[in-house]
Amino acid sequence: MLKKIFLAVSVVVFLIASSAPISALPLIDVSVGARYWGAAPSGDMSYKGESLDLDDNLGFDREWSPNAYARAQLPFIAVDAHFTQLDYSGKLKDYSQLGGSGDEFGDIDFDDVADASTDATINLLHAGAMFSLPIPMFDLGVGVGADYIDAEASIDPKDADIDKDTGSGTATLPVAKGYFNFSPPIFDINLSLAGEGVTYSGNTFYDARAKLGYVFQGFLVGDLQLEGGYRIISVDYDEEDLTLDSTFSGPFLGASLNF
């Protein structure tokens, strides 16, 4: 838990420091923020063997993970970036029902395993730019970007004569992206929808977010926004030894500074 909080704070501090010179320029609005996301996993993964259910076989449950983001609004152009880390741990279970003899995770044969712990970490880094058309009460944007995905999963048998095995994979995906924000007059609230996605050669990735925010005007160096919403990430990727066909979804809470 402390590691996750430290990571989120470190990334946000870096984004604030990096954006400070930009925010001093005219006609540029900058937002930096952090969110805490309760992502519940579903779907399957495999590493040189049988597909394992994230919940039923690997024992993964909802975990709260940090993510940080920054957005700069220039005339007609918006650029943004965000970083997310998902980190899960559990205990191998129900593996005896996977399909019989020969089911494996890498070099681990489940027929030889009596007890094992499981871990998975997924890091996602996104950067992109959009053509942005701000009009009264609305902010619309469409554009392109790239997502870098770094995933790693491991199973560690408790049997002394069976070694831990780890599968990993990385991918850089070009994505299309969109943004919609509604800020009604008088009220200091806003509703936004944002996301990125791509489909190619049987692989699919998308990241969608819905958010409701309340803005406190003139807070220290800028406007403070408290926000809550829902996020879903879906990954179907099978071009490396580590295969993911998984979805991560759940609510988030966060705060941002706009200056």
Side-chain angles (χ1 to χ4, degrees), residues 52-61 63 88-95 110 113-120 154-158:
L52 303 173
D53 186 279
L54 298 182
D55 182 11
D56 294 339
N57 300 135
L58 296 177
F60 295 158
D61 202 353
E63 296 283 354
Y88 295 96
S89 60
K91 182 178 179 180
L92 191 66
K93 59 182 183 178
D94 296 336
Y95 53 89
F110 295 134
V113 175
D115 187 21
S117 60
T118 59
D119 293 282
S154 64
I155 293 181
D156 187 6
K158 300 307 178 183

Side-chain angles (χ1 to χ4, degrees), residues 52 61 72 84 92 103 122 130 143 149-150 153 166 180 188-189 247:
L52 303 173
D61 202 353
T84 301
L92 191 66
D103 293 333
I122 303 174
M130 292 178 288
I149 304 173
D150 180 11
T166 300
F180 167 82
D188 293 325
I189 63 173
T247 299

Side-chain angles (χ1 to χ4, degrees), residues 4 7 24 33 39 104 146 150 187 202 218 241 254:
K4 293 181 178 181
L7 174 64
E104 298 176 341
D150 180 11
F187 303 102
D241 291 333

Side-chain angles (χ1 to χ4, degrees), residues 18-34:
S18 300
S19 62
I22 298 177
S23 63
L25 299 176
L27 303 178
I28 297 180
D29 296 323
V30 175
S31 299
V32 293

Side-chain angles (χ1 to χ4, degrees), residues 12 16 45 52 56 60 72 82 102 141-142 167 180 216 240:
V12 172
I16 292 175
M45 62 149 288
L52 303 173
D56 294 339
F60 295 158
H82 54 82
V142 292
F180 167 82
F216 295 89
E240 296 188 25

